[in-house]
Amino acid sequence: MKPNTKIVLFLLLLASVVVIGVLHTITPGHMIFYHDTYRRLSYFPIAIGAILYGVWGGVCLAVLSCLAFVPHLFMFWASGPQAYYSELSEILFYLAAGVVIGLISSRENKLREKYKTLSEKLAGSYKRLHEQASQLVEAEKQLGQSQKLSLLGHVSASLAHEIKNPLASIKGAAEILADEVPEGHPKYEFIEIMRSEISRLNHSVEDVLKYCRGQQNHDKGRQESIEKIINRVVLLLEAGLKEKSIKVSIQSEPVNNGFMTDETAMIQVLMNIIINAIDAVKKNGRIIIESGRHEQGYFIRISDDGPGIDEDLIKEVFQSFVTFKEDGTGLGLSISKKIVESLGGKIVIGESTLGGAAFTIYLPEKQFVNNESIQYV
């Protein structure tokens, strides 16, 4: 109860005591019925005061009621001791009522405070229990994720080992084809792409094997300009683009001296994002690849006219093993995110001007590689 409310109630109780005392005084002595009624009414402010304010409230209002009752006693002074003492005993009952009800009320208030404290402690314990349960569920999810990653590591090591020997044979065959096709030949460019992709794949296999042996690779790959990397990725994905008749627009801002980045890493990132865009758009769809400077470095934005990504699902997109495609592995975007972060950048998902999804890659001017080795698989 608010302090102002307590004061107002006490004043009202005090006023009721005064009114009852005045009624006792102005009512003639022979009107016994009215005096008996006033005596009984006096117990109400005493009881209410004791309930609201405890012992001190009950005693205080009992004393005030006794003082208000004193003028009434003089009416029975001449009636003899028996009548006088009978009225005088009412004062003792007022005091007893104030003390007893006050003690009971004080005890109830103490119990109420005790239960309130216990309730608050119980609420705190429940909150901590809920938080611990949430942490336990999260830890269980992370454990399951770790087990999946561990299994993936074993499978990756086996696959890398099995791929290494056939890859060497393919590389040898590509070298033979390169010797037979002169540089000016129209198909020489495709042979160069084949040799370059074989080299990139071999590099990825070596990274996987090093990671499985507990070795880490902190060295950056060959540096290349963003424009050349974008054009190369589009050329590599040309077959998939033609299959769905997808129109690709490359919009690059002119950058002095060209913005350089890790070629192998950025090819992997762009391929993962653009392949997702190809899968998302319908036939005769559109994809826009923009690039240029931003405040602290460079940006690359891949936009499409597909269905887009729900806001509720954006946080899950970069999680490992989360996929929205029937034949997806759920690793492409999570690996891409780690690669970009290893270069000191970040990936942001938004809505494209075409109505679909837009993946924006921000790279800083000075790029770096984290201590964590990123596998380009």
Side-chain angles (χ1 to χ4, degrees), residues 45-76:
I46 295 171
I48 294 172
I51 291 171
L52 293 178
Y53 308 104
V55 176
W56 76 268
V59 171
C60 181
L61 286 166
V63 170
L64 292 173
S65 295
C66 292
L67 292 175
F69 191 71
V70 168
H72 172 68
L73 292 176
F74 288 105
M75 296 182 183
F76 295 88

Side-chain angles (χ1 to χ4, degrees), residues 13 27 40 50 72 87 111 135 141 149 160 193 196 228 230 234 242 253 255 270 330 336 339 349 355:
L13 293 173
T27 302
R40 292 177 178 85
H72 172 68
E87 295 297 328
L111 287 174
Q135 292 173 358
K141 285 174 63 178
L149 291 172
I193 291 174
S196 175
K228 289 184 179 179
I230 292 173
V234 172
K242 284 183 177 179
E253 295 178 6
V255 180
L270 292 178
S336 298
I339 292 173
I349 303 176

Side-chain angles (χ1 to χ4, degrees), residues 248-286:
V248 178
S249 300
I250 300 176
Q251 303 173 2
S252 299
E253 295 178 6
V255 180
N256 295 333
N257 301 323
F259 187 86
M260 309 294 286
T261 188
D262 189 311
E263 181 186 28
T264 302
M266 198 48 57
I267 285 176
Q268 181 66 43
V269 171
L270 292 178
M271 285 190 70
N272 283 332
I273 295 175
I274 296 174
I275 286 173
N276 281 341
I278 293 172
D279 292 337
V281 302
K282 296 180 179 179
K283 197 169 183 180
N284 300 315
R286 290 183 61 196

Side-chain angles (χ1 to χ4, degrees), residues 132-148:
Q132 290 171 357
S134 299
Q135 292 173 358
L136 185 62
V137 171
E138 186 64 26
E140 188 176 357
K141 285 174 63 178
Q142 291 178 359
L143 180 60
Q145 194 85 342
S146 300
Q147 290 174 345
K148 288 181 181 179

